[in-house]
Amino acid sequence: MLRTVRLAGAALAAAALLPAAPALGAVHTVAAGETLWGIAQASGLSAGAVAAANGLSPEAHVVAGTTLTIPAAGFAGTAPSAAPATAPVATGGGLRVRWGDNLSAIAARNGVSLTRLAAVNGLDPSRPLLAGTTLHLPAAGGAGVSAAPAATTSAAPAPMGAYEVRPGDTLSALAARSRVPMAQMAFMNGLDPNKPLLAGTVIKLPTGSPVVASTPAPQRTIVPAAPPAASPGRLTSGQVGSIAAQQGAHGSLAAAIAWQESGNNKAMLSGANARGIMQILPGTWQWVQANLARTRLDPSSAEDNVRAGSLYLADLMRQTNGDPAMAAAAYYQGLSSVRRIGMLPETRRYVANVMALRSRLGG
């Protein structure tokens, strides 16, 4: 269900593709989840006009952190049909990991070896890559582009309750400040309440938790060792919808949630400790396995990640009287929270994105 890519300037190669300089109206920095069409609509322009001003195809996926030239009203250039749907080259040696990224793909796009990129950043190349992590690119070998986030109607909201443990934090203290039992917080995050809580551990706090970090997050990130696994693998939206339908969920709604949450990437790990295509928390995985699943679910399987998320979504549909918007809101915010305080602003944005994606996916 994450943050800002530090990319500066346009690639020199892309500059050669631009038409004659348009009359500038503004410069827009792309936020995570934005689309070329949505940016154009917000600016009162056609997607073709904005695309032409930036040397892009109107169907291009824009990348978070890149800057777009927003032409003055009345500009009606024609975008080149073969313009690449890519971001500018990263400079400064740093970029922010987004939904769908993995270390090997980033290394390949930037012309560096996986081993070298992992070593420069102190990462284990076999472990999942946490969305929102800042990567430093080696000085040599060139810098490429990072994968575009899932196309949605507006900026995708960050996952609720994302928190990285600071030195001195304890599970009991965080639970007390969040006003939930320690056992509940431990269960939801796949933690052992009897073991020390290590600084840098990625956890999910309850929606609306008053916990505010007073110090920067540690550079080291620790993922609780609990299922499901954020492991390599992708499925198409059609596959997600088919699996969901077999579990009694609306196929198009599940496919939209999967795309909004992870871009259908099984290796996705959020800052709120959610994993896989359907971004399932360890506690939710255990609850679904114990209460809804009729067979054992494989925590490393992309298909079973979708099965678990679909079973959970189908249960939310039953509890919301078949209302897909309410079910999507509950999937993101939590059903008890939605019932208690209604949809939060970021939840409304999430639901709008999901409903728009669902219509594109045939729902």
Side-chain angles (χ1 to χ4, degrees), residues 21-237:
L24 299 183
V27 174
H28 177 80
T29 301
V30 179
E34 285 191 308
T35 65
L36 189 65
W37 182 87
I39 293 169
Q41 289 293 303
S43 304
L45 298 166
S46 69
V50 177
N54 292 276
L56 299 172
S57 162
E59 303 301 320
H61 284 180
V62 289
V63 178
T66 61
T67 55
L68 293 179
T69 296
I70 306 299
F75 176 75
T78 302
S81 59
T86 59
V89 174
T91 60
L95 56 82
R96 197 83 156 170
V97 177
R98 292 186 309 282
W99 302 116
D101 279 340
N102 62 68
L103 200 62
S104 61
I106 293 173
R109 283 195 300 271
N110 288 281
V112 298
S113 72
L114 172 62
T115 302
R116 188 176 179 205
L117 183 60
V120 166
N121 291 278
L123 298 172
D124 180 346
S126 67
R127 295 293 300 276
L129 187 58
L130 178 66
T133 301
T134 298
L135 293 182
H136 299 286
L137 298 174
V145 298
S146 181
T152 50
T153 56
S154 63
M160 288 188 170
Y163 184 77
E164 285 187 52
V165 175
R166 271 64 173 172
D169 281 340
T170 65
L171 192 63
S172 59
L174 288 173
R177 289 160 61 192
S178 300
R179 305 188 185 104
V180 298
M182 184 175 72
Q184 179 181 333
M185 183 174 286
F187 173 79
M188 187 52 62
N189 286 284
L191 295 168
D192 184 341
N194 297 314
K195 291 184 177 180
L197 187 59
L198 301 178
T201 301
V202 177
I203 64 172
K204 166 74 167 66
L205 299 177
T207 300
S209 171
V211 176
V212 178
S214 57
T215 59
Q219 290 192 351
R220 182 180 68 159
T221 296
I222 299 173
V223 180
S231 53
R234 287 182 181 272
L235 297 177
T236 67
S237 292

Side-chain angles (χ1 to χ4, degrees), residues 281-327:
L281 287 164
T284 304
W285 176 270
Q286 291 187 50
W287 184 84
V288 168
Q289 180 67 83
N291 296 280
L292 301 177
R294 296 183 179 181
T295 60
R296 181 186 175 277
L297 299 172
D298 180 355
S300 65
S301 163
E303 290 81 3
D304 277 1
N305 189 278
V306 173
R307 288 186 181 95
S310 300
L311 287 168
Y312 181 52
L313 180 61
D315 185 69
L316 291 175
M317 284 289 287
R318 287 189 290 270
Q319 295 192 63
T320 56
N321 297 316
D323 185 333
M326 282 294 291

